[in-house]
Amino acid sequence: MFDITKLDNLMFFMLQPQNETDKAITNHLKWSTLWYGVLSNIMCGIFTYEDVPRQLKRRINNAFFSSSYVCAYNDKDLGIVVAPCSPVGSINNWGEYSAYDLILPDGKSKHLKLEDCVIGYNYDLPTISDSVLCYQFAEQIAELKVSIENAIILSRKTAIFEVPNENAFNEVLQEFNNHRTGNPIIVKKKREEESYKTMEFTQPTTVDDYYNGLRDVLNEFLTTTGLSSLVNPNKKERLITDEISSNDDIKNTLLSNRVDNRKAFIEGINEKFGTGYKVSVDDNIYKTVNNLVNVVESEVE
């Protein structure tokens, strides 16, 4: 039940923008933030771990989500630490850098040599991080949502008047204000010397337009990430990690690279630090992706 007495709820109403420019900016930010969260949850939900401490599991997901390079090292007090990093130093014949600068959770930086850590990669070749990818598609959905909202607002206006002079403009504006404040009838003396021309708007099919556009953006997101390969109507059970790596439809996609590189990272940690960590594709990722597409398509139908 919505409790209007709570401070957070009151602040929401008090801080709402008053002019149309700020409202448009706020709406765009609202929808982009909402969908950034939805897409980010999908990207961070691809993998599941075994025998990995809960906090370390969260750090692995966050590091891979925000950075193309991820580093793991053994701290004498904290144990295994995972953090995003940037390559520095010289590069060898295998494309490995001699050192890496880490960005730790407390904001401090740490410099490590390659032999003292394990490096993980988001992709075989560095590209934009998952966080940037989710942001780009969230922005597209926000633009779509704001455009539909603007179309709805325009369709509610029965007419826009083109008037010959400022006096006529003020009269029409007053009539419009009276209409918005609830006056059901406006009586006005006819002035034949003034001509009023109206600009009519056709009401858009807002629901269809929105869901068609949303479906296109989400399908592009799933194709770009490789997750669309999981939506296979002929295969309802989940794909385990090895099946994904060997699936011809998934090979050479960002998803395949994520699986292979995440497995290599965990295996590297086990080999270097003597741990027994395991990583696999989450059982529910197929359902998550499939349900997302099905919901949008069912709304359009």
Side-chain angles (χ1 to χ4, degrees), residues 19 21 61 71 83 85 99 111 136 153 159 166 168 189 202 224 226 245 249 255 287:
N19 64 70
T21 301
N61 277 336
C71 179
C85 64
H111 182 83
Q136 293 291 338
I153 292 172
E166 187 173 351
K189 182 180 178 180
T202 302
T224 301
S245 298
D249 292 334
L255 175 60
K287 294 180 180 178

Side-chain angles (χ1 to χ4, degrees), residues 256-279:
S256 176
N257 289 335
R258 286 185 181 89
V259 174
D260 294 339
N261 292 331
R262 192 76 60 102
K263 287 173 59 180
F265 181 64
I266 295 299
E267 290 170 359
I269 292 177
N270 291 336
E271 181 179 347
K272 192 172 188 66
F273 304 120
T275 53
Y277 300 156
K278 296 179 182 178
V279 62

Side-chain angles (χ1 to χ4, degrees), residues 104-171:
L104 300 177
D106 59 3
K108 296 179 181 179
S109 60
K110 187 177 184 66
H111 182 83
L112 287 176
K113 295 181 178 180
L114 178 61
E115 57 265 26
D116 297 326
C117 60
V118 175
I119 301 300
Y121 307 88
N122 249 338
Y123 318 96
D124 288 337
L125 292 175
T127 180
I128 62 173
S129 64
D130 290 345
S131 60
V132 175
L133 190 67
C134 291
Y135 173 78
Q136 293 291 338
F137 283 100
E139 283 285 292
Q140 289 188 45
I141 296 176
E143 288 289 346
L144 172 67
K145 188 66 177 179
V146 171
S147 296
I148 292 297
E149 289 178 343
N150 288 339
I152 293 173
I153 292 172
L154 282 175
S155 69
R156 290 172 181 168
K157 295 181 173 64
T158 56
I160 291 181
F161 289 95
E162 290 184 350
V163 295
N165 54 59
E166 187 173 351
N167 290 334
F169 169 77
N170 291 330
E171 291 177 3

Side-chain angles (χ1 to χ4, degrees), residues 194-208:
E194 292 181 356
S195 62
Y196 288 82
K197 178 182 177 182
T198 63
M199 300 170 59
E200 299 291 345
F201 288 89
T202 302
Q203 183 172 354
T205 55
T206 55
V207 175
D208 287 346

